[in-house]
Amino acid sequence: MELVILDTPEAIAERAADAIEELLTAKPDAVLGTATGSSPLPLYDELTRRCEAGRISFARVTGFMLDEYVGLPEGHPERYATFMERHLRSRVDMRPGALHGPDALNPDLQAACEAYEAAMAAAGYCDLQILGIGADGHIGFNEPGGPLDSATHIDVLTEQTRRDNARFFDGDIDAVPTHCITQGLGTIMKARKLVLIATGENKAEAVRQLVEGEVSPQWPATVMQNHADALVLVDPAAASLLTAARP
């Protein structure tokens, strides 16, 4: 695992975009895994700038989202399919329909999980997976306590996660869905490269566990310690609890 501490979200975005630009230069038809939330937004802005400048192209890229809420209707502004369309797909030259997500509107959610895992397997899984991290150490929506080798599955969101995400729902925790479909930790680990972004003091304990803790289901992101190519990009606040941090 490579840890890099950078001063600003913009610097983090540039470093993450460099990794994606390197991938797309070598493999224009790459499979890219996308994440939602606040952490990757500066990255999507930077990727948009580079696409507009002609440095990179998403024209042949296939994308797979990490997760999706269960219970939000199609077109809801906080559905992750809507989020990714708004913040990345529509802003670059990615083909309509090239960015896939789990079908959380399917009445048979287990079948939706299996179909999504099969689609990723058919694509060869992700060449690069973008990740954020929750304050409780979740990646994707893999909440603490789940198996470290899980495939795409239905998960129940913890109160902490719902409280953290209430800011996207006008502060109303009751409006935050209770269930989701998420890539499993085993699915995420099949990506050839992982790029995790974490900023802010509220992520400091999760980052400490990720980098210095034992691999444990109680801190799901720690499974990344077993990955051959994982890049962790953090700001000084998120790195503040590390005992051996070096910029």
Side-chain angles (χ1 to χ4, degrees), residues 141 143 153-158 178-180:
F141 267 143
E143 297 286 24
H153 62 281
I154 307 155
D155 214 329
V156 179
L157 301 180
T158 64
T178 58
H179 291 73
C180 66

Side-chain angles (χ1 to χ4, degrees), residues 11-187:
I12 289 172
E14 289 181 8
R15 182 64 179 267
D18 287 346
I20 295 171
E21 181 172 344
E22 181 179 355
L23 169 65
L24 297 186
T25 299
K27 187 179 181 182
D29 59 346
V31 180
L32 180 66
T34 65
T36 55
S38 302
S39 297
L41 290 180
L43 169 59
Y44 296 150
D45 290 341
E46 179 64 19
L47 291 175
T48 298
R49 283 190 289 270
R50 294 190 187 196
C51 186
E52 290 173 345
R55 289 176 59 176
I56 57 175
S57 173
F58 293 84
R60 296 169 58 192
V61 169
T62 299
F64 287 97
M65 293 164 34
L66 267 175
D67 40 35
E68 182 60 274
Y69 286 122
V70 171
L72 296 182
E74 190 164 5
H76 189 287
E78 295 309 322
R79 279 195 87 221
Y80 285 161
T82 309
F83 178 102
M84 288 309 311
E85 177 71 17
R86 182 169 69 243
H87 290 290
L88 183 65
R89 209 293 306 167
S90 66
R91 301 173 67 197
V92 297
D93 59 346
M94 185 180 289
R95 306 177 314 279
L99 181 55
H100 307 282
D103 182 9
L105 299 175
N106 189 330
D108 187 340
L109 293 177
Q110 182 57 40
C113 293
E114 294 170 4
Y116 196 54
E117 186 76 24
M120 286 182 284
Y125 290 98
C126 292
D127 291 297
L128 185 151
Q129 175 67 62
I130 302 164
L131 297 166
I133 188 170
D136 61 1
H138 71 254
I139 52 175
F141 267 143
N142 292 279
E143 297 286 24
L148 296 177
D149 60 352
S150 57
T152 301
H153 62 281
I154 307 155
D155 214 329
V156 179
L157 301 180
T158 64
E159 182 178 349
Q160 178 66 54
T161 295
R162 295 178 68 233
R163 188 181 303 117
D164 289 345
N165 287 3
R167 68 189 189 276
F168 301 114
F169 292 82
D170 297 323
D172 181 7
I173 189 173
D174 293 330
V176 182
T178 58
H179 291 73
C180 66
I181 293 178
T182 183
Q183 287 188 32
L185 294 174
T187 311

Side-chain angles (χ1 to χ4, degrees), residues 133-137 198-213 219 234-243:
I133 188 170
D136 61 1
T199 57
E201 190 176 359
N202 67 316
K203 301 296 178 69
E205 178 60 22
V207 168
R208 186 181 76 82
Q209 293 289 339
L210 164 64
V211 177
E212 299 177 348
W219 292 93
V234 301
D235 67 0
S240 60
L241 296 181
L242 295 174
T243 59

